[in-house]
Amino acid sequence: MKKMRSLWSWLTGCALTLLVFMPSVAMAAKKAAANVVIVADTRRLDGIMLWWAQMYNDSHLYFTILTIIIIPITGCIFGVLADIVMSHIGIDLKHRELAEH
């Protein structure tokens, strides 16, 4: 028990040390990071990929909002498709008996 307590103390100390020194590491890169411009390269894109990259370059806010909307919708669509495929191949997850009794 004593070893476990000392290990826990050591891990907590390491986590607190990281929390203390992380801002100073981020501040050290402040001067060089101010000159970085993040854009998507649209030279070889077309169609929806070009539209998506241009949205990213024009407005990070609209890009973020659309991404937040699209990801759950895509997950629901894939979930429904997976359920349809599994029911067609004979896997019935709706009427299964749980093993944890």
Side-chain angles (χ1 to χ4, degrees):
M1 193 64 163
K2 190 174 185 179
K3 283 185 178 183
M4 186 62 112
R5 194 173 290 153
S6 67
L7 176 66
W8 183 250
S9 298
W10 183 80
L11 287 173
T12 305
C14 287
L16 289 174
T17 303
L18 281 174
L19 285 174
V20 168
F21 287 121
M22 287 298 262
S24 62
V25 171
M27 295 298 281
K30 186 176 183 181
K31 194 180 270 188
N35 299 330
V36 175
V37 177
I38 301 172
V39 293
D41 185 11
T42 59
R43 291 177 286 189
R44 296 185 188 137
L45 299 177
D46 60 347
I48 196 165
M49 293 300 289
L50 177 64
W51 174 76
W52 193 255
Q54 284 177 341
M55 182 185 301
Y56 178 81
N57 290 339
D58 292 341
S59 174
H60 289 286
L61 178 66
Y62 290 146
F63 178 81
T64 302
I65 291 170
L66 196 59
T67 302
I68 290 171
I69 292 170
I70 287 174
I71 289 175
I73 291 172
T74 306
C76 289
I77 291 169
F78 284 155
V80 168
L81 288 175
D83 191 35
I84 291 169
V85 168
M86 285 191 288
S87 67
H88 279 285
I89 63 173
I91 301 173
D92 186 15
L93 297 176
K94 292 179 181 154
H95 300 99
R96 67 185 181 109
E97 189 173 324
L98 295 176
E100 301 93 22
H101 288 296

